[in-house]
Coordinates of all heavy atoms in Angstrom, one line a residue:
E323 N -0.8 23.5 18.4 CA -0.2 24.4 19.4 C 0.8 23.8 20.3 O 1.9 24.3 20.6 CB -1.3 25.0 20.3 CG -2.2 26.1 19.6 CD -1.4 27.2 19.1 OE1 -0.4 27.7 19.8 OE2 -1.6 27.7 17.9
G324 N 0.6 22.5 20.7 CA 1.5 21.7 21.5 C 2.8 21.5 20.7 O 3.9 21.6 21.3
L325 N 2.7 21.3 19.4 CA 4.0 21.1 18.6 C 4.8 22.4 18.6 O 6.0 22.4 18.7 CB 3.6 20.6 17.2 CG 4.8 20.5 16.3 CD1 5.8 19.4 16.7 CD2 4.4 20.3 14.8
L326 N 4.1 23.5 18.4 CA 4.8 24.8 18.3 C 5.5 25.1 19.6 O 6.6 25.6 19.6 CB 3.8 25.9 17.9 CG 3.2 25.7 16.5 CD1 2.2 26.8 16.2 CD2 4.2 25.7 15.4
E327 N 4.8 24.8 20.7 CA 5.4 25.0 22.0 C 6.6 24.1 22.2 O 7.7 24.5 22.7 CB 4.4 24.7 23.1 CG 3.3 25.8 23.2 CD 2.3 25.5 24.3 OE1 2.5 24.5 25.1 OE2 1.2 26.1 24.3
H328 N 6.5 22.8 21.8 CA 7.6 21.9 21.9 C 8.8 22.4 21.1 O 9.9 22.3 21.5 CB 7.2 20.5 21.3 CG 8.3 19.5 21.3 ND1 8.7 18.8 22.4 CD2 9.1 19.1 20.3 CE1 9.7 18.0 22.0 NE2 9.9 18.2 20.7
M329 N 8.6 22.9 19.9 CA 9.6 23.4 19.0 C 10.4 24.5 19.7 O 11.6 24.7 19.5 CB 9.1 23.9 17.7 CG 8.6 22.7 16.8 SD 7.7 23.3 15.3 CE 9.0 24.1 14.4
Q330 N 9.7 25.3 20.5 CA 10.4 26.5 21.2 C 11.2 26.0 22.4 O 12.1 26.7 22.7 CB 9.3 27.5 21.6 CG 8.6 28.1 20.5 CD 7.5 29.0 21.0 OE1 7.7 30.1 21.6 NE2 6.2 28.6 20.8
G331 N 10.8 24.9 23.0 CA 11.4 24.5 24.2 C 12.3 23.3 24.2 O 12.9 23.0 25.2
S332 N 12.4 22.6 23.0 CA 13.1 21.4 23.0 C 13.8 21.3 21.6 O 13.2 21.6 20.6 CB 12.3 20.2 23.3 OG 13.0 19.0 23.0
S333 N 15.0 20.7 21.5 CA 15.6 20.4 20.3 C 15.3 19.0 19.8 O 15.8 18.6 18.7 CB 17.2 20.6 20.4 OG 17.6 19.6 21.4
L334 N 14.6 18.3 20.5 CA 14.3 16.9 20.2 C 13.2 16.8 19.2 O 12.2 17.5 19.2 CB 13.9 16.1 21.5 CG 14.9 16.0 22.6 CD1 14.3 15.4 23.8 CD2 16.2 15.3 22.1
G335 N 13.4 15.8 18.2 CA 12.3 15.6 17.2 C 12.5 16.4 16.0 O 13.1 17.5 16.0
H336 N 12.0 15.8 14.9 CA 12.1 16.5 13.6 C 10.6 16.8 13.2 O 9.8 16.0 13.0 CB 12.7 15.6 12.5 CG 14.1 15.2 12.8 ND1 15.2 15.9 12.3 CD2 14.6 14.2 13.6 CE1 16.3 15.3 12.8 NE2 16.0 14.3 13.6
S337 N 10.3 18.1 13.2 CA 9.0 18.6 13.0 C 8.7 18.8 11.5 O 9.5 19.4 10.8 CB 8.7 19.9 13.8 OG 8.9 19.7 15.2
H338 N 7.5 18.4 11.1 CA 7.0 18.6 9.7 C 5.6 19.2 9.8 O 4.7 18.5 10.3 CB 6.9 17.3 8.9 CG 8.3 16.6 8.8 ND1 9.0 16.6 7.6 CD2 9.0 15.9 9.7 CE1 10.1 15.9 7.8 NE2 10.1 15.5 9.1
L339 N 5.4 20.4 9.3 CA 4.0 20.9 9.2 C 3.7 21.0 7.7 O 4.6 21.4 6.9 CB 3.9 22.3 9.9 CG 3.8 22.1 11.4 CD1 3.9 23.5 12.1 CD2 2.5 21.5 11.8
Y340 N 2.5 20.7 7.3 CA 2.2 20.5 5.9 C 1.7 21.7 5.1 O 1.4 21.7 3.9 CB 1.1 19.4 5.7 CG 1.5 18.1 6.4 CD1 0.6 17.3 7.0 CD2 2.9 17.7 6.4 CE1 0.9 16.1 7.5 CE2 3.2 16.5 6.9 CZ 2.3 15.6 7.5 OH 2.6 14.4 8.1
G341 N 1.6 22.9 5.8 CA 1.1 24.1 5.1 C -0.3 24.1 4.7 O -0.7 24.8 3.8

Side-chain angles (χ1 to χ4, degrees):
E323 286 303 319
L325 175 67
L326 296 177
E327 289 176 12
H328 174 82
M329 290 171 68
Q330 294 175 72
S332 174
S333 62
L334 299 174
H336 299 264
S337 301
H338 300 254
L339 284 170
Y340 302 146

